[in-house]
Amino acid sequence: MMSKQVSYWTEFYKGLYDQNPIFRQVLGMCPTLAVTVSGPNGLAMGLATSFVLLFSGIVISSLKNLIPKQVRIAAYIVVIATFVTIVDIVMKAKFPEMSKDLGPFIPLIVVNCLILGRAEGFSSKNNITRSVLDGLGMGVGFTIGLTILGGIREILGSRTIFGLQVLPDAFEPWVIMILPAGAFLTLGLLFGLLNFVELKKKTKKIKEDQQRALAEIKKLTESSEEDLAVKEG
Amino acid sequence: MFQKLLTFVGGIHPGENKNFTENLEIEEMPLPKSVYIPLSQHIGKPATALVKKGSIVKEGEVIATAEGFISSPIHSPVAGTVLKITTGANLSGVPKEYIEIQVNPEGEKVFMEPVDWQNNDKKTIINRIKEAGIVGQGGAAFPTFVKLSPPPGKTIDYLVINGAECEPYLTRDYRLMLERTSDLIEGIRILMKAAGVPKAIIGIENNKPLAIQKVTEAAKAYPEIQVATLKTKYPQGAEKMLIFAGTGRKVPPGKLPLDVGVIVQNIGTSLSVYDAVVKGIPSITSVMTVTGKGITTPKNLLVRVGTQLAEVINYCGGLKPEAVKVISGGPMMGIAQYDFNAPVMKASSGLLVLASSEINEAVETPCLRCGKCVEVCPLNLLPTRLAKLTQMGKFEDAEEYGVTVCMECGSCAYECPANIPLVQWIKLGKKEVSKIQRARKSS
Amino acid sequence: MNNVTKMLVVLLVIGVVSGGLLAYISDWATPIIKENARLETERAVLEVHPGSTKQIKIDNAGFELYQVMNEKGDITGYAMPNEGTGFQGKVKIMMGMTPNLDEITGLKVLDQVETPGLGAEIVKDYFTGRFKAISTQPEIKSVKGKKPENPNEIEAITGATISSVAVVKIMNDGIKKVKDYLSTQEKKEGAK
Amino acid sequence: MELVLVFLSAAIVNNFVLAYFLGICPFIGVSGKLSSAFSMGLASTFVMVIAATVTWLIYHMILVPFNLEFLQYVSFILVIASLVQFVEMFIKKVSQPLYRALGIFLPLITTNCAILGLALFSVLREYGFLESIFFGLGAGAGFILALVLIAGIREELDLAEVPAQFKGVPITLIAAGILAMAFMGFSGLISN
Amino acid sequence: MSETVTTTPEVKKPELKLTSSPHLHSTWSTQKAMWIVVISILPALISGVLFFGLYQLIVVFVSIAGAVLTEYAIKYFRNQRITITDGSAVITGLLLGLIVPPNFSLVLVFLGSVVSIAIGKEVFGGLGYNIFNPALVGRAFLQAAFPVAMTTWSKPEFAPDAITSATPLSAWKFVDGGEPFFTATENLFYGNIGGSIGETSALAILLGGALLFVLKIANWRVPAAMVVGMLVFGGIFHLLNPENYPTPVDQIFMGGFLFGAIFMATDWVSSPVTNKGMYIYGLGIALIIVMIRLFGGLPEGVMYAILLMNGFVPLINRYTRPVIFGEEK
Ligand SMILES: Cc1cc2nc3c(=O)[nH]c(=O)nc-3n(C[C@H](O)[C@H](O)[C@H](O)COP(=O)(O)O)c2cc1C
Ligand SMILES: Cc1cc2nc3c(=O)[nH]c(=O)nc-3n(C[C@H](O)[C@H](O)[C@H](O)COP(=O)(O)O)c2cc1C
Ligand SMILES: Cc1cc2nc3c(=O)[nH]c(=O)nc-3n(C[C@H](O)[C@H](O)[C@H](O)COP(=O)(O)O)c2cc1C
Ligand SMILES: Cc1cc2nc3c(=O)[nH]c(=O)nc-3n(C[C@H](O)[C@H](O)[C@H](O)CO)c2cc1C
Ligand code: SF4
Ligand code: SF4
Ligand code: SF4
Ligand code: SF4
Ligand code: FES
């Protein structure tokens, strides 16, 4: 068991920003880059991944005491691959268009390092409730990341958001945004932007800390002066 | 008479600017009121003073003895009274210990007995060179007798005499070659005998045709001494480059010329050897070129060791208002001076005063990876990389890239369009790397 | 020993459960997937034959070929899927032809991986529309940078000549295949 | 010739990393130093070739004959994982230096999607046995190429004044983006 | 120390500089080199304006403005010294303006030059740190983002009728059935042909190049290796099949080869620093150009070839490190 238990809310919330799989942990990059040519694709991939994440988390955390250590990776892989196959088959049957768009990236969820990482690093050590929350948080964080990236690429590359045209015809679509190069560039710039905000926060925090420390010192000196004054008085 | 000019790959060709002084005869500078004799005028441990405050010394008397193997005794360049022993300004910029002597123009001289070198053995000659306190005048001030005593088992095939004088502005070696040609040849023969070398090559750059002609003439009688005409290019006079041009041999990094069977000596050094052996005069003067647009009357001067720069400058008419840089040595490797109390030393070869019009100053920009520094580095280093790695504190990598091999010739920094002080960075890198190496050795 | 058995048993159980589950789901999904594919083809076939409503798959052709009919049961032509190499990779099309194979009735690009905005424009209606009623005699030709002059010419997409030419080539190849098949068929029938 | 084209296509024109986005995590994670990038690439190539061989056999000799295609993902990943384990033990036995050089990367490779992607593409494209192997070789070579290129660039960038916000992952992605643009020059070189 | 001063005559001391050796410096500076490069590009600009009309001047101006403004904005934003006067951003803008098709959209060329500086140069740390040639990053971006606009060529203004708007390379490559169409070599030389604004006139390019090589700003090794590479690789294929493949000499004058060889492959920052490296770099570029032109799906590959080799430069520098003087190989 983990030595320090965080609140259930944090268990869920951490996946959204502080430990966001894409922007913080830099995991699952392949689908992140490959399928995000549009918002819907990003969303679908995010949901599919979340599904696998959630259910494999549940299964693994409930079986965690039954599975011998030596075969745990193999067992996890089988569990994960089973859920992935389910998603794949269901999508082929019910959403053939989307299944075509996402192509081989659905089966590749099997090896998405995010999922195995969570299975090995979290579900195998925590109870079902926590696993569910963690899986949900990570899944939502991942989905949000993919959707944002897909959205940006869709707007600039096709003038649309979720298929709705939002930019005027006069805007020449940037074909590069739906090509591999565009994926790398967009994600790189997005990362940089995020770091920009983070760095600002950090420097702001440092500044605040300094100010607080200064104020404290001032208070201390004042109080000691007062003390002295009192004593002298 | 058309022969291929000998040289090396790389290097640069800055304006020679030798015309200020190349036609001026060496003139002896009058005695100053006082001289200031640094105890450290050579590579190796400083000498130990033998005199005290108030001692009366004679010209040529030993006033400090050598300390350890690579060291050299020091003789008083004047007769007079020791005023004090203290620390103060030095050409290297770091204050050093020195002996101050008040000059007595009527004082006595005590030179050594001449040595009949033709009828004496190596040992006697080398001993005399050691006693006379001769150090290399090519810049490094390495005690000459050490070079002449190779460890047993090493045979030396060539004595290479460095008459390249590749630094712009300087004309000291050139004047010496013209004015003391026969002494020079005899000095070289003494050196050959001392080191047991069968062959000597005098390397002279082809911008000094008169010197080539005169020296060739004088050396005719001795087939074992040859003159090699070198391409005029900086740093042709650097030991490794000169050896390569003259003999085709390459001194590997971290090795000495000795390891490839060569000894290199400067023109001035050879003449000091002549003076010490044939005339019994110890190393108490230095011939230096005082030049540049910033000095009123440029001269080639014979100066007593210990004379303060201020005296020299004043003797040459003082600085002009446009002077911006005073340099001990040549423009490429010399050290910028600011305390004119610093005294002339045995290995001083020049005092250069540059005016603002002679320095091309431009803003420093980041490295543009133009490769010019790489193209000119005579040692095939990657100066840009060395500087960058040092800047980033990656000293292990800098070592890997050979930072310690750099001879600080400055060709790279001269050429760099981004005006990066490459040599400064590299020097720092060398220092840090040698710290690391020492730490490694001790652990 | 005990440990090893446990390992094996656990893995086996997981494997069996997983296999069973998947087999079950796959059983359920396979017909749907097949049906999807069939429907898609059917839709494509009718799309390249505007006005027609019925289709029959010709089984003995050695390749996929459909005979298409209208409401009244008159044969309106043939439809065939065919594929070839475009600029970046495979291009798969469905094309419709008149019964005597003289004219194209319609074209649909089913699959392609060409550059979006360039080669991928071949899926757009403005391009496929150019093939409507184009003559196949002696074969379809693409022209570049000028208006087509002859009935068998279509204009290539600017900046995507390779993809355009590829589509034309795939069509010509297909037509040839159908022609050969029909003529052998005629011979057989004649022989009968 | 066919085989050479398969190799070149996978190595350059359709580079796994820069055009197919496979193996991005190791591409970003292990490309900081040239030496480890090369080792990682080499180890991956090694596994890729074996995986291509074995998964082909499994798919065509077992799954297809017994109608078990739905077990494709489960069986592939199990085989790859156990292969990597086996290779690891084998290398450990055979050569200690090699193990030290490659060993730490092997476990990472299990979850590298380039390997599974390779197996899946090979099925998707209906490659024959030999083609599959060359596909594995080519993909591996392409992976090494991309990894080594980016590692060289990153080592160079260590000495550059990249703005703080862009140090690390962002600048790596941007450099990869520019490389991907440059690789587009090869498009159409070998169509497939 | 005060006693010593009294014994020494006073020297009037001006402000003295104490910088480290060497104390001499060549007369080159970054700024000077960059502005001479700008001058050397002018003949190509003039030829572009002559052949394609005055509008091209506006295209180039907008491109330069985009580059300079972007650099200014980023430096301002990052609180760094404004370095516009060093001329490197002007070169980037100027070059980008010259390698887009004539009559190109002003909005797009502006976007391209913003990308050149922002993504091609400043994210890497600015002048001297970029891995890839900024102008080509901008062009590659435009090519990938707006492929149609980037392949729409206008005719030169006083072209004889025989010359269509297609560039010589695509005229040769994408023939409508008939024979491959080769353009006469003298047209290639003077530049009376279709192509990017500044690339068509070999004469103008060589004129500017002569200045760069005489002043030793551009290193001759890279273009020399490119030409040799083209003669060898292009020559082999021409000899194998002279009907289909143009002669290597024509190939040198076609498309962006000369322009790239002289102004872009020679970019200091994005090319190798070692001599051996420069040969490898040039040969590599030539090989890739030949591959793309003769076998690829695109008519032209100079840009891609240079960008790809830019990516190899760190490795090239590393593995062509010269053997230190006196060291055993
Ligand atoms: C860059 C460089 C340039 C040099 N140029 C000369 C030169 O032109 N003449 C010279 O005598 N020594 C020159 N030297 C010093 C020689 O390398 C060598 O130390 C000297 O000639 C040895 O003779 P010495 O012991 O008599 O001084 C140069 C050294 C360096 C590092
Ligand atoms: C990024 C990029 C993508 C391309 N994609 C395609 C493509 O999908 N299909 C195609 O036929 N040509 C493609 N091309 C090739 C060129 O546009 C080529 O010049 C064109 O096919 C020639 O046609 P044109 O004669 O009409 O210019 C592409 C070129 C580039 C630069
Ligand atoms: C330095 C330079 C590099 C270029 N690189 C490319 C390139 O990689 N691809 C391209 O299509 N055009 C490139 N161009 C533009 C072409 O040279 C040419 O104008 C364009 O490709 C169309 O001409 P073509 O059809 O004869 O190839 C470049 C131009 C220059 C000046
Ligand atoms: C010889 C030479 C060639 C240059 N070529 C280019 C070029 O092709 N593209 C470019 O953006 N800048 C070029 N520059 C300018 C500058 O080096 C370039 O912007 C740097 O890459 C910016 O760091 C060139 C500069 C010189 C001296
Ligand atoms: S001062 Fe140094 S560089 Fe100059 S000539 Fe003498 S030795 Fe050569
Ligand atoms: S690196 Fe050293 S040896 Fe090479 S040119 Fe620079 S100063 Fe001279
Ligand atoms: S000469 Fe200067 S700018 Fe050029 S590579 Fe060397 S350090 Fe960089
Ligand atoms: S295990 Fe592989 S995929 Fe996962 S983070 Fe590490 S390198 Fe990336
Ligand atoms: S998702 Fe592909 S390597 Fe991680």
Side-chain angles (χ1 to χ4, degrees):
Chain A
M1 276 284 115
M2 291 174 107
S3 52
K4 214 170 90 192
Q5 292 270 340
V6 295
S7 76
Y8 283 131
W9 170 246
T10 315
E11 208 72 273
F12 169 74
Y13 184 72
K14 67 179 191 294
L16 302 194
Y17 191 83
D18 296 330
Q19 290 185 30
N20 186 288
I22 299 177
F23 296 109
R24 281 293 130 83
Q25 305 189 50
V26 199
L27 291 177
M29 292 319 269
C30 308
T32 304
L33 289 162
V35 302
T36 53
V37 293
S38 71
N41 284 10
L43 182 63
M45 187 67 187
L47 291 180
T49 311
S50 306
F51 172 83
V52 178
L53 200 53
L54 186 61
F55 283 91
S56 57
I58 292 175
V59 173
I60 288 165
S61 69
S62 45
L63 295 183
K64 63 174 182 284
N65 295 327
L66 293 176
I67 302 175
K69 242 178 101 198
Q70 297 86 335
V71 291
R72 77 181 187 289
I73 297 285
Y76 299 164
I77 288 177
V78 174
V79 172
I80 295 169
T82 308
F83 283 109
V84 171
T85 313
I86 293 175
V87 172
D88 189 46
I89 294 177
V90 171
M91 277 186 77
K92 268 194 190 133
K94 290 289 165 194
F95 311 98
E97 285 302 316
M98 190 51 87
S99 162
K100 230 178 181 177
D101 273 354
L102 300 184
F105 281 91
I106 293 288
L108 288 180
I109 296 176
V110 175
V111 278
N112 189 318
C113 17
L114 172 62
I115 296 185
L116 197 66
R118 280 289 118 185
E120 162 81 354
F122 195 89
S123 303
S124 67
K125 302 192 184 108
N126 286 285
N127 62 28
I128 298 185
T129 326
R130 280 181 187 278
S131 281
V132 168
L133 289 171
D134 178 71
L136 276 179
M138 291 293 156
V140 173
F142 192 62
T143 309
I144 292 178
L146 288 184
T147 314
I148 291 179
L149 193 60
I152 295 176
R153 293 177 65 192
E154 188 183 346
I155 296 181
L156 293 175
S158 328
R159 295 193 283 233
T160 58
I161 296 182
F162 281 72
L164 280 178
Q165 181 160 348
V166 290
L167 290 178
D169 282 344
F171 179 86
E172 185 84 24
W174 303 7
V175 175
I176 189 175
M177 297 310 280
I178 28 189
L179 300 178
F184 283 113
L185 293 180
T186 314
L187 188 60
L189 291 176
L190 214 56
F191 248 101
L193 206 69
L194 214 75
N195 284 346
F196 189 78
V197 178
E198 278 300 300
L199 278 184
K200 252 212 176 133
K201 256 206 283 191
K202 237 183 243 161
T203 45
K204 202 170 145 206
K205 193 156 165 276
I206 291 173
K207 255 193 211 142
E208 278 173 3
D209 284 353
Q210 275 172 350
Q211 257 156 13
R212 209 173 307 125
L214 272 178
E216 217 126 281
I217 291 171
K218 217 165 144 198
K219 235 198 267 159
L220 275 179
T221 46
E222 269 167 14
S223 65
S224 59
E225 270 165 17
E226 272 166 26
D227 281 356
L228 279 179
V230 171
K231 263 183 209 155
E232 275 168 19
Chain B
M1 255 317 283
F2 282 108
Q3 65 183 106
K4 203 168 163 262
L5 290 175
L6 301 169
T7 190
F8 59 96
V9 182
I12 55 175
H13 194 177
E16 291 166 25
N17 283 314
K18 305 226 182 210
N19 50 343
F20 290 105
T21 51
E22 65 187 340
N23 296 321
L24 303 178
E25 274 188 28
I26 298 171
E27 117 187 32
E28 180 162 0
M29 185 176 148
L31 288 177
K33 274 211 196 83
S34 291
V35 291
Y36 304 79
I37 321 291
L39 290 174
S40 176
Q41 298 196 37
H42 47 260
I43 275 189
K45 275 202 182 147
T48 319
L50 293 178
V51 292
K52 289 201 295 278
K53 184 172 170 177
S55 307
I56 307 287
V57 295
K58 299 174 189 150
E59 181 179 343
E61 180 183 332
V62 179
I63 53 174
T65 55
E67 198 52 48
F69 179 60
I70 302 186
S71 182
S72 207
I74 292 168
H75 305 253
S76 177
V78 293
T81 318
V82 175
L83 285 184
K84 59 173 162 320
I85 303 175
T86 177
T87 28
N90 183 281
L91 292 177
S92 68
V94 191
K96 288 274 164 69
E97 203 172 25
Y98 64 83
I99 302 172
E100 180 179 348
I101 302 172
Q102 191 170 35
V103 177
N104 173 8
E106 266 83 54
E108 283 179 65
K109 269 192 216 177
V110 277
F111 287 166
M112 299 167 288
E113 280 298 307
V115 171
D116 177 8
W117 63 274
Q118 313 255 24
N119 299 314
N120 265 300
D121 63 354
K122 282 185 189 184
K123 241 198 189 137
T124 323
I125 303 174
I126 292 180
N127 211 33
R128 163 51 56 92
I129 293 173
K130 182 176 175 182
E131 281 167 14
I134 297 174
V135 301
Q137 285 163 35
F142 192 79
T144 303
F145 77 93
V146 180
K147 275 198 201 175
L148 296 176
S149 341
K154 296 233 162 153
T155 48
I156 308 293
D157 312 316
Y158 291 104
L159 169 67
V160 177
I161 300 300
N162 196 341
E165 195 151 55
C166 58
E167 281 258 19
Y169 291 93
L170 301 188
T171 56
R172 171 189 80 151
D173 289 346
Y174 175 63
R175 288 313 306 178
L176 286 174
M177 283 189 277
L178 290 186
E179 294 176 29
R180 299 187 62 188
T181 323
S182 60
D183 295 352
L184 174 65
I185 300 295
E186 189 165 353
I188 292 169
R189 290 173 58 220
I190 299 171
L191 281 167
M192 289 173 75
K193 173 147 191 193
V197 190
K199 230 169 152 42
I201 298 171
I202 308 173
I204 307 175
E205 283 187 345
N206 67 340
N207 62 347
K208 310 176 184 69
L210 223 55
I212 297 175
Q213 191 197 332
K214 274 198 93 172
V215 174
T216 313
E217 199 72 20
K220 253 198 191 132
Y222 310 99
E224 70 275 22
I225 303 178
Q226 258 160 20
V227 175
T229 308
L230 310 172
K231 189 168 168 186
T232 304
K233 182 161 87 171
Y234 180 83
Q236 187 66 71
E239 209 160 60
K240 287 182 177 184
M241 308 299 98
L242 181 71
I243 292 172
F244 180 67
T247 69
R249 296 182 185 188
K250 288 187 173 182
V251 183
K255 296 274 192 234
L256 299 171
L258 223 64
D259 297 308
V260 296
V262 181
I263 292 177
V264 181
Q265 295 294 353
N266 166 259
I267 298 284
T269 317
S270 313
L271 283 164
S272 298
V273 166
Y274 169 87
D275 288 342
V277 175
V278 179
K279 301 226 174 107
I281 309 174
S283 184
I284 55 172
T285 57
S286 171
V287 179
M288 57 198 289
T289 304
V290 185
T291 183
K293 275 197 185 148
I295 192 96
T296 311
T297 35
K299 290 178 191 300
N300 291 308
L301 281 184
L302 175 73
V303 187
R304 301 285 161 148
V305 169
T307 309
Q308 286 179 317
L309 294 187
E311 301 262 9
V312 179
I313 292 171
N314 275 352
Y315 183 68
C316 295
L319 302 183
K320 289 195 202 161
E322 60 264 38
V324 290
K325 222 170 189 187
V326 176
I327 297 154
S328 158
M332 297 304 292
M333 293 191 68
I335 301 168
Q337 300 297 318
Y338 105 116
D339 189 343
F340 297 158
N341 294 329
V344 168
M345 301 204 285
K346 290 178 188 174
S348 294
S349 56
L351 188 67
L352 175 62
V353 184
L354 292 176
S356 49
S357 62
E358 292 170 287
I359 301 181
N360 296 305
E361 282 205 321
V363 217
E364 185 184 334
T365 70
C367 168
L368 299 161
R369 299 195 268 225
C370 67
K372 289 194 188 296
C373 55
V374 179
E375 198 172 1
V376 297
C377 178
L379 299 182
N380 296 341
L381 299 170
L382 299 180
T384 161
R385 202 25 77 120
L386 299 177
K388 195 92 226 175
L389 290 170
T390 304
Q391 232 166 349
M392 302 303 253
K394 306 199 170 196
F395 302 117
E396 264 94 3
D397 290 339
E399 182 184 8
E400 226 285 280
Y401 272 87
V403 75
T404 52
V405 179
C406 169
M407 60 185 172
E408 299 168 20
C409 71
S411 302
C412 49
Y414 174 86
E415 203 67 18
C416 175
N419 281 286
I420 298 169
L422 291 164
V423 178
Q424 207 174 322
W425 285 113
I426 292 174
K427 279 182 184 165
L428 179 68
K430 282 168 93 164
K431 211 153 94 197
E432 293 298 324
V433 166
S434 54
K435 258 191 227 160
I436 292 171
Q437 284 175 339
R438 251 176 283 135
R440 213 180 284 149
K441 231 179 236 164
S442 65
S443 73
Chain C
M1 191 60 214
N2 196 11
N3 217 356
V4 175
T5 359
K6 190 182 166 198
M7 270 161 55
L8 287 179
V9 168
V10 169
L11 269 191
L12 200 70
V13 170
I14 293 181
V16 167
V17 171
S18 146
L21 192 64
L22 290 182
Y24 179 76
I25 293 184
S26 159
D27 264 359
W28 162 78
T30 313
I32 306 184
I33 296 173
K34 281 215 177 104
E35 180 64 13
N36 281 342
R38 199 186 61 75
L39 277 177
E40 198 186 344
T41 318
E42 192 176 301
R43 233 177 296 130
V45 167
L46 294 184
E47 213 170 296
V48 296
H49 274 284
S52 301
T53 50
K54 267 194 243 149
Q55 52 165 338
I56 305 169
K57 185 164 182 192
I58 297 176
D59 284 327
N60 64 347
F63 55 90
E64 258 185 272
L65 182 65
Y66 301 87
Q67 201 168 45
V68 192
M69 285 148 287
N70 64 13
E71 223 33 22
K72 290 175 268 168
D74 305 333
I75 293 180
T76 50
Y78 296 94
M80 102 173 268
N82 198 17
E83 59 182 48
T85 309
F87 178 73
Q88 305 243 63
K90 236 178 234 168
V91 176
K92 200 171 162 196
I93 61 162
M94 174 71 80
M95 59 176 173
M97 297 148 277
T98 51
N100 57 3
L101 307 185
D102 278 351
E103 259 182 31
I104 298 295
T105 57
L107 169 72
K108 184 175 164 67
V109 176
L110 302 174
D111 247 333
Q112 52 83 25
V113 288
E114 308 296 85
T115 320
L118 269 191
E121 295 287 295
I122 54 174
V123 308
K124 298 269 173 75
D125 290 343
Y126 79 82
F127 179 67
T128 54
R130 288 178 191 170
F131 288 86
K132 198 155 276 174
I134 284 290
S135 162
T136 61
Q137 300 300 337
E139 61 177 9
I140 312 174
K141 264 188 81 173
S142 70
V143 297
K144 197 167 87 175
K146 55 179 179 193
K147 287 275 153 265
E149 288 157 1
N150 298 313
N152 65 335
E153 287 177 355
I154 65 111
E155 191 188 343
I157 300 176
T158 320
T161 308
I162 302 174
S163 308
S164 319
V165 169
V167 170
V168 170
K169 182 167 178 301
I170 297 168
M171 294 176 77
N172 285 330
D173 289 350
I175 294 165
K176 195 161 165 296
K177 261 201 218 164
V178 183
K179 245 184 205 155
D180 289 349
Y181 165 73
L182 288 184
S183 63
T184 50
Q185 211 53 17
E186 256 167 42
K187 266 185 218 143
K188 268 189 211 158
E189 253 158 51
K192 265 183 203 167
Chain D
M1 199 56 203
E2 236 357 76
L3 295 179
V4 175
L5 287 187
V6 169
F7 175 85
L8 285 181
S9 160
I12 297 174
V13 183
N14 295 311
N15 189 283
F16 256 46
V17 176
L18 296 172
Y20 283 172
F21 305 105
L22 294 173
I24 300 287
C25 304
F27 175 72
I28 291 172
V30 201
S31 64
K33 277 207 100 64
L34 201 56
S35 49
S36 45
F38 187 71
S39 300
M40 173 73 177
L42 215 57
S44 305
T45 307
F46 191 57
V47 177
M48 276 179 180
V49 175
I50 304 182
T53 317
V54 178
T55 54
W56 192 92
L57 290 174
I58 291 185
Y59 188 75
H60 291 277
M61 300 295 144
I62 301 175
L63 298 186
V64 173
F66 296 100
N67 258 333
L68 291 173
E69 282 104 328
F70 59 85
L71 285 181
Q72 193 187 349
Y73 308 157
V74 178
S75 57
F76 280 13
I77 188 67
L78 258 184
V79 165
I80 292 172
S82 29
L83 253 179
V84 172
Q85 279 278 311
F86 180 73
V87 168
E88 188 179 352
M89 289 186 319
F90 180 75
I91 294 185
K92 205 171 181 176
K93 273 251 165 61
V94 174
S95 159
Q96 273 299 317
L98 193 65
Y99 180 71
R100 254 176 315 220
L102 301 186
I104 50 165
F105 298 112
L106 283 169
L108 299 183
I109 293 171
T110 317
T111 53
N112 176 344
C113 45
I115 315 275
L116 185 64
L118 176 92
L120 295 176
F121 270 120
S122 166
V123 168
L124 212 63
R125 295 194 184 160
E126 296 160 11
Y127 278 145
F129 184 63
L130 273 184
E131 278 174 322
S132 249
I133 294 177
F134 273 79
F135 184 51
L137 271 174
F143 191 59
I144 295 181
L145 179 70
L147 220 57
V148 167
L149 266 179
I150 209 75
I153 291 174
R154 284 181 75 170
E155 285 197 356
E156 188 72 35
L157 287 176
D158 278 351
L159 303 178
E161 289 180 4
V162 177
Q165 298 85 354
F166 284 93
K167 284 221 164 84
V169 179
I171 195 70
T172 308
L173 285 169
I174 290 175
I178 299 176
L179 270 183
M181 291 201 290
F183 266 79
M184 280 165 62
F186 290 124
S187 55
L189 192 64
I190 303 161
S191 304
N192 208 327
Chain E
M1 291 268 277
S2 56
E3 291 141 281
T4 51
V5 171
T6 53
T7 64
T8 320
E10 277 295 314
V11 171
K12 209 176 100 285
K13 233 199 258 180
E15 275 294 298
L16 289 183
K17 296 190 191 286
L18 278 174
T19 45
S20 152
S21 65
H23 308 287
L24 291 185
H25 198 279
S26 69
T27 55
W28 284 110
S29 66
T30 301
Q31 196 166 345
K32 191 167 154 195
M34 293 292 170
W35 287 108
I36 291 180
V37 174
V38 171
I39 292 172
S40 73
I41 301 170
L42 292 184
L45 173 61
I46 294 168
S47 82
V49 172
L50 280 181
F51 287 121
F52 299 109
L54 270 178
Y55 175 82
Q56 318 318 323
L57 218 47
I58 307 178
V59 172
V60 171
F61 176 79
V62 169
S63 175
I64 295 176
V68 169
L69 288 177
T70 310
E71 175 140 320
Y72 181 87
I74 291 176
K75 292 282 177 206
Y76 179 82
F77 196 60
R78 291 188 65 197
N79 275 327
Q80 289 181 333
R81 198 163 54 85
I82 306 292
T83 47
I84 301 302
T85 49
D86 70 21
S88 71
V90 175
I91 297 181
T92 303
L94 183 55
L95 287 173
L96 179 69
L98 290 177
I99 54 178
V100 295
N103 302 320
F104 194 64
S105 146
L106 298 181
V107 177
L108 298 190
V109 80
F110 188 84
L111 178 66
S113 61
V114 171
V115 169
S116 286
I117 296 294
I119 294 179
K121 183 173 169 190
E122 292 298 330
V123 276
F124 288 97
L127 180 66
Y129 296 116
N130 48 302
I131 303 287
F132 300 94
N133 187 322
L136 288 178
V137 169
R139 192 188 189 283
F141 177 87
L142 289 176
Q143 176 91 60
F146 313 105
V148 176
M150 287 296 284
T151 44
T152 307
W153 308 101
S154 320
K155 272 196 225 188
E157 293 209 320
F158 25 81
D161 289 342
I163 297 175
T164 63
S165 64
T167 63
L169 272 170
S170 53
W172 155 70
K173 192 157 179 170
F174 302 110
V175 284
D176 319 316
E179 293 288 295
F181 175 78
F182 295 117
T183 309
T185 310
E186 73 258 24
N187 282 337
L188 293 173
F189 185 73
Y190 294 114
N192 201 9
I193 47 174
S196 301
I197 296 174
E199 75 175 9
T200 60
S201 170
L203 180 65
I205 294 167
L206 290 173
L207 215 62
L211 180 68
L212 290 187
F213 296 120
V214 167
L215 292 181
K216 293 197 176 163
I217 294 179
N219 197 311
W220 57 271
R221 289 178 180 85
V222 173
M226 276 177 70
V227 168
V228 169
M230 177 54 86
L231 291 177
V232 173
F233 304 126
I236 290 174
F237 290 109
H238 175 70
L239 288 181
L240 287 178
N241 192 349
E243 301 279 295
N244 272 331
Y245 299 136
T247 68
V249 176
D250 278 355
Q251 278 217 58
I252 288 173
F253 289 107
M254 276 179 177
F257 187 91
L258 272 181
F259 194 92
I262 288 175
F263 297 119
M264 314 201 79
T266 51
D267 173 26
W268 288 344
V269 179
S270 52
S271 62
V273 296
T274 62
N275 292 345
K276 217 199 285 169
M278 292 183 198
Y279 296 128
I280 295 175
Y281 176 73
L283 288 176
I285 293 174
L287 179 63
I288 298 174
I289 293 176
V290 169
M291 297 241 304
I292 294 180
R293 280 185 177 178
L294 301 190
F295 308 108
L298 308 174
E300 172 65 311
V302 175
M303 165 181 81
Y304 294 113
I306 298 178
L307 278 176
L308 268 170
M309 290 311 289
N310 285 164
F312 277 98
V313 165
L315 296 176
I316 294 178
N317 278 337
R318 196 185 171 99
Y319 293 108
T320 58
R321 210 165 100 192
V323 182
I324 295 177
F325 182 89
E327 216 162 52
E328 295 289 319
K329 175 74 194 185

